[in-house]
Every structure is written in structure tokens, then in C-alpha cells.
Amino acid sequence: MSTAGDIAARGKARRKGDLPEKTCASCGRPFAWRRKWAAVWDEVRHCSDRCRRSRNGVAR
């Protein structure tokens, strides 16, 4: 049986606090990396679809 420490040592698990963060281009709030953005993390600028659609936010 493997423990959480064993899994983290193999690189499969990360704590939420250890994930990379960016600031949303629309609302200016910080948001963390998500697995679905793994391949395109450099291109992600907005925290949600709602912010992406509005695009006329505060910190543009």
C-alpha cells in the first residue's frame, strides 16, 4: 500500500499551494494551474470562461 508521501515522491501528487499561479487578465484575481491547462499553460490568460468572454475588465 502506498502513502501520500510515496506518491508525492514519484511526482504524481502536488499540494494546491505548490501549483503555479497567474493573475487573470480580466478580473485581476490570482488563479492556479489546472490539469486541463497542462498543454497550454503559457497561453492561459483568464481564470474562467466568464472572464474570457467579458475581456473588458480591470487589469487588461
Side-chain angles (χ1 to χ4, degrees), residues 28-58:
R29 293 180 178 155
F31 64 96
W33 180 90
R34 295 182 187 174
R35 182 176 289 166
K36 68 179 182 178
W37 293 333
V40 293
W41 178 243
D42 294 333
E43 300 168 14
V44 175
R45 295 183 54 222
H46 304 280
C47 62
S48 65
D49 288 335
R50 181 179 181 178
C51 282
R52 184 179 48 80
R53 284 191 303 264
S54 68
R55 290 191 192 190
N56 57 357
V58 182

